[in-house]
């Protein structure tokens, strides 16, 4: 119910951490942390560990559920179709299909799968995720040295999809997610809030940083920082000249033109790979009319990237919706994967490949006694709650029965004017009703009109005035005559009542006598003569 979650996004140029505290119905983001990885360090592994150490130096992760993802470049993702949809059969057949689709020994792989939307009924379509055991072991070993022990090692594309699903407000749309990172670009194809296809393209903005470092003969880390501050615009070369982008990069116009062409060509190659992804997807799913492209990642901060993608793919490009309360561009573009990783732990309905299988299942033996104590405490609490619930239920039942008895007695006394109520009010009420029915039948026999008493009264009542001051004090039915005594605030309502009865043509005559007793009170006596059926008087 209440849980503290720490979700890491470990990239090739930076590491991100988001912490979340969950409640009964919602959750709260408690911190967002970002740290660059020193690209000029002699050891990439040492640089990564240094960035992670700095990222977590002020956070004690002992009370957190830690989550992260295996970098997509270390994952092998395949879509596999089975002629059956039974999950147990699919799980049993996965190793054999993996052997056909993945160029590694099955014993050397960690695998998991998640269901995808089926195109044809009866088929089973799944996304298979596989990673080499040695790579998973090395990745977890780096984290364990910093006391970071994840309880789940997922897929970055799933985290990116989870972020879209959380913030999306447009139902039934088909979109393409493009997350342009440093060394890779993740492409997700989504329809009706379901992930249908994903691919990791091994190119990103890191190649632009490398080209800048090579042309200016500067360290790669310096080139990355210089590139971010340059204000490079891919829409046109003239825009860069007008903004002095070449001067910001320390280049002449001629050298800058060459660098600009390298950047445009790199984005063009990326667009070609995205188009190939869409064509490959269409082979299985058919053509889909996409409504828009959602862009994120560090590459989304380059001016003109969205316009280039829009022109190349023929679709509008917008930023991936994210936390509106954070105006910083780096948070808006580079935290979706970390945020989606946390969301995938909160929303259990989301697809989730987890590489912590077999030997990599988290070891909680050291805290097993605490777990048993907690389980025992919960079991005891459950038993106490059960006893309390039974007692409350019995009390409520007794109270309800008492209330029901009081309600029946009150209704009986009110309807039949008998106090106190008998021991069995329902039985007594049935007897009174039956007696009243017999008496009503006897009265019906008295009438010479051939109608029932209730019918005659209905014919009269329907013409009653709607005024609240019109009240009856006496009603007498005798053979073919009905006499009504009452009072009203004005004689006008009484006259209207008489005229309505005459206009109905249902009665032989209507005679009215009135008497004004005092102001706003007129008493009346109305004698209504009924028509005799067939004009013959009955015995």
């Amino acid at each position: 119910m209440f849980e503290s979650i720490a979700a890491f996004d470990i990239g090739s140029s930076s590491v991100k951490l988001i912490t979340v505290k969950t409640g009964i119905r919602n959750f709260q983001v408690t911190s967002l942390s970002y740290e660059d990885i020193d690209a000029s360090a002699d050891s990439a592994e040492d640089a990564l560990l240094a960035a992670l150490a700095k990222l977590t130096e002020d956070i004690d992760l002992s009370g957190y559920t830690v989550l992260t993802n295996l970098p997509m470049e270390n994952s092998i993702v395949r879509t596999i179709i089975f002629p059956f949809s039974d999950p147990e059969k699919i799980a049993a057949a996965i190793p054999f299909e993996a052997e056909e689709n993945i160029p590694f020994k099955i014993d050397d792989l960690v695998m998991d799968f998640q269901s995808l939307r089926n195109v044809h009924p009866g088929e089973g379509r799944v996304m298979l995720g596989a990673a080499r055991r040695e790579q998973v072991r090395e990745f977890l070993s780096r984290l364990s040295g910093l006391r970071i022990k994840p309880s789940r090692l997922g897929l970055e594309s799933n985290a990116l999809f989870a972020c879209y699903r959380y913030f999306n407000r447009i139902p039934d749309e088909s979109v393409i997610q493009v997350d342009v990172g440093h060394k890779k670009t993740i492409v997700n194809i989504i329809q009706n809030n379901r992930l249908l296809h994903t691919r990791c393209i091994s190119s990103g903005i890191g190649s632009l940083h490398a080209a800048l470092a090579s042309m200016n003969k500067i360290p790669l880390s310096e080139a990355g920082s210089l590139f971010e501050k340059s204000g490079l615009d891919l829409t046109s070369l003239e825009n860069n000249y007008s903004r002095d982008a070449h001067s910001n990069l320390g280049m002449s116009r001629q050298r800058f033109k060459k660098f600009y062409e390298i950047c445009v060509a790199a984005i063009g190659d990326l667009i070609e790979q995205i188009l190939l992804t869409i064509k490959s997807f269409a082979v299985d799913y058919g053509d889909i009319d996409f409504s828009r492209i959602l862009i994120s990642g560090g590459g989304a901060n380059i001016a003109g990237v969205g316009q280039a993608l829009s022109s190349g793919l023929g679709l509008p490009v917008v930023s991936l919706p994210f936390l509106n309360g954070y105006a910083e561009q780096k948070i808006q573009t580079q935290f979706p994967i970390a945020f989606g990783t946390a969301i995938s732990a909160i929303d259990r309905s989301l697809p989730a490949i987890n590489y912590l299988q077999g030997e990599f299942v988290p070891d909680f033996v050291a805290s097993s006694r605490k777990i048993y104590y907690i389980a025992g405490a919960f079991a005891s609490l459950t038993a106490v709650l059960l006893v309390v619930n039974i007692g409350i239920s019995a009390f409520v039942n007794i109270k309800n029965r008492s209330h029901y008895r009081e309600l029946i007695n009150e209704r009986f006394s009110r309807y039949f004017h008998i106090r106190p109520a008998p021991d069995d009010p329902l039985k007594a009420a049935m007897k009174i009703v039956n007696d009243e029915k017999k008496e009503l039948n006897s009265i019906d026999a008295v009438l010479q009109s051939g109608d029932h008493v209730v019918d005659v009264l209905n014919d009269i009542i329907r013409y009653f005035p709607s005024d609240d001051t019109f009240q009856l004090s006496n009603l007498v039915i005798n053979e073919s005559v009905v006499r009504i005594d009452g009072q009203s605030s004005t004689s006008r309502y009484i006259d209207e009542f008489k005229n309505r009865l005459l206009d109905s043509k249902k009665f032989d005559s209507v005679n009215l006598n009135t008497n004004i007793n005092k102001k706003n009170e007129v008493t009346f006596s109305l004698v209504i003569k009924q028509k005799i059926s067939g004009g013959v008087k009955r015995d």
Side-chain angles (χ1 to χ4, degrees):
M1 184 178 295
F2 297 98
E3 185 180 14
S4 296
I5 297 173
F8 287 88
D9 176 17
I10 302 174
S12 53
S13 65
S14 63
V15 288
K16 281 79 69 178
L17 170 63
I18 185 170
T19 58
V20 171
K21 179 167 285 187
T22 64
I24 297 176
R25 294 184 177 179
N26 52 20
F27 65 91
Q28 179 183 9
V29 175
T30 53
S31 71
L32 293 158
S33 306
Y34 181 99
E35 193 66 38
D36 285 316
I37 298 173
D38 186 2
S40 60
D42 295 334
S43 170
E45 182 173 346
D46 291 343
L48 172 63
L49 293 177
L52 283 170
K54 192 172 183 180
L55 190 70
T56 58
E57 63 183 358
D58 296 329
I59 300 177
D60 181 11
L61 296 176
S62 58
Y64 284 82
T65 299
V66 179
L67 311 164
T68 189
N69 304 290
L70 187 69
M72 285 287 286
E73 59 267 31
N74 295 335
S75 297
I76 304 166
V77 180
R78 297 286 187 271
T79 299
I80 301 178
I81 304 172
F82 295 92
F84 44 81
S85 57
D86 187 293
E88 293 184 1
K89 290 183 179 180
I90 290 175
I94 281 287
F96 303 100
E97 291 295 328
E99 202 167 14
E100 296 290 329
N101 288 274
I102 300 175
F104 295 104
K105 292 182 179 180
I106 299 300
D107 293 340
D108 295 337
L109 297 175
V110 181
M111 296 184 298
D112 196 11
F113 69 93
Q114 66 191 48
S115 298
L116 298 174
R117 182 176 67 82
N118 297 326
V119 177
H120 305 290
E123 73 176 10
R125 188 179 293 260
V126 300
M127 179 193 293
L128 172 66
R132 300 181 66 181
R133 289 184 181 275
E134 188 59 32
Q135 289 180 323
V136 175
R137 192 175 292 113
E138 290 176 359
F139 184 81
L140 294 176
S141 177
R142 295 191 196 104
L143 299 182
S144 64
L146 297 171
R147 296 182 179 179
I148 301 174
K149 297 181 179 181
S151 60
R152 194 172 75 188
L153 187 63
L155 205 60
E156 289 175 321
S157 58
N158 278 341
L160 194 63
F161 164 68
C163 183
Y164 158 81
R165 180 171 167 176
Y166 180 81
F167 289 105
N168 178 47
R169 296 296 179 267
I170 303 176
D172 304 331
E173 69 168 349
S174 300
V175 299
I176 301 173
Q177 261 186 304
V178 178
D179 186 85
V180 185
H182 188 72
K183 288 186 178 180
K184 63 177 178 289
T185 297
I186 300 173
V187 179
N188 281 344
I189 295 179
I190 301 167
Q191 185 181 45
N192 298 341
N193 269 344
R194 294 192 64 177
L195 179 64
L196 303 184
H197 185 75
T198 188
R199 183 192 173 197
C200 178
I201 301 170
S202 57
S203 62
I205 60 173
S207 61
L208 310 184
H209 297 176
L212 179 61
S214 175
M215 294 182 68
N216 282 5
K217 302 187 184 316
I218 56 176
L220 193 58
S221 59
E222 184 180 336
S225 177
L226 186 62
F227 184 89
E228 289 183 7
K229 298 175 182 178
S230 66
L232 178 70
D233 189 346
L234 298 180
T235 54
S236 71
L237 187 60
E238 287 71 20
N239 284 350
N240 292 282
Y241 289 151
S242 64
R243 297 179 181 180
D244 289 331
H246 58 290
S247 300
N248 296 336
L249 292 174
M251 292 182 174
S252 65
R253 289 198 172 200
Q254 186 176 1
R255 288 180 61 223
F256 178 80
K257 180 180 179 182
K258 183 178 180 181
F259 175 69
Y260 175 81
E261 290 172 349
I262 291 173
C263 294
V264 171
I267 298 301
D269 291 341
L270 177 61
I271 292 172
E272 286 295 324
Q273 291 298 317
I274 296 174
L275 284 171
L276 284 175
T277 304
I278 296 172
K279 291 178 181 178
S280 173
F281 165 80
V283 171
D284 288 333
Y285 280 91
D287 293 329
I288 292 179
D289 292 330
F290 296 102
S291 60
R292 54 181 178 156
I293 297 172
L294 301 174
I295 188 171
S296 59
N301 297 325
I302 302 175
V305 166
Q307 184 174 332
L309 287 172
S310 180
S311 300
L313 301 175
L315 291 168
V317 176
V318 297
S319 298
L320 177 68
F322 199 58
L323 297 169
N324 295 326
Y326 296 87
E328 187 178 345
Q329 186 69 11
K330 185 174 286 188
I331 290 177
Q332 289 288 324
T333 57
Q334 299 190 49
F335 270 82
I337 290 179
F339 183 85
T341 302
I343 289 296
S344 61
I346 298 171
D347 187 353
R348 305 293 181 180
S349 66
L350 291 168
I353 285 176
N354 183 12
Y355 287 118
L356 297 185
Q357 308 284 338
E359 65 177 286
F360 302 114
V361 172
D363 183 13
F364 299 113
V365 174
S367 57
S368 60
R369 287 187 178 180
K370 292 183 179 179
I371 294 175
Y372 292 142
Y373 293 154
I374 294 174
F378 273 108
S380 301
L381 180 60
T382 302
V384 172
L385 290 176
L386 180 61
V387 172
V388 171
N389 187 46
I390 292 173
I392 293 174
S393 298
F395 173 75
V396 170
N397 286 335
I398 294 172
K399 187 175 181 181
N400 286 340
R401 289 176 184 174
S402 176
H403 177 70
Y404 174 74
R405 175 73 181 186
E406 291 176 2
L407 182 63
I408 291 294
N409 290 344
E410 186 272 331
R411 295 287 174 87
F412 182 89
S413 300
R414 175 153 44 106
Y415 294 152
F416 300 108
H417 305 288
I418 299 175
R419 290 182 182 277
D423 293 336
D424 191 344
L426 292 178
K427 183 177 180 180
M430 289 298 297
K431 183 179 185 306
I432 293 173
V433 170
N434 289 332
D435 292 342
E436 293 288 344
K437 286 182 178 180
K438 291 178 181 178
E439 188 173 346
L440 180 62
N441 291 334
S442 300
I443 296 174
D444 286 338
V446 172
L447 293 179
Q448 298 182 7
S449 64
D451 295 327
H452 293 290
V453 172
V454 174
D455 297 331
V456 173
L457 291 178
N458 281 335
D459 289 339
I460 296 173
I461 291 171
R462 73 177 61 178
Y463 301 112
F464 273 15
S466 59
D467 183 62
D468 293 338
T469 63
F470 184 87
Q471 299 179 0
L472 299 187
S473 59
N474 189 34
L475 173 65
V476 178
I477 299 176
N478 186 9
E479 295 186 348
S480 61
V481 175
V482 177
R483 177 180 170 179
I484 299 175
D485 299 327
Q487 64 185 30
S488 178
S489 62
T490 174
S491 60
R492 180 169 63 88
Y493 296 124
I494 304 170
D495 292 334
E496 289 178 357
F497 180 38
K498 172 188 174 183
N499 293 332
R500 288 176 185 171
L501 292 173
L502 290 173
D503 293 341
S504 69
K505 307 297 184 184
K506 293 186 177 182
F507 308 99
D508 272 349
S509 63
V510 180
N511 298 317
L512 174 63
N513 292 318
T514 59
N515 183 29
I516 300 177
N517 293 338
K518 55 184 177 179
K519 187 177 180 181
N520 294 333
E521 183 177 297
V522 180
T523 60
F524 67 89
S525 178
L526 202 66
V527 178
I528 305 169
K529 188 174 181 181
Q530 302 178 70
K531 291 183 178 181
I532 305 300
S533 300
V536 179
K537 184 177 179 179
R538 297 183 301 170
D539 294 332

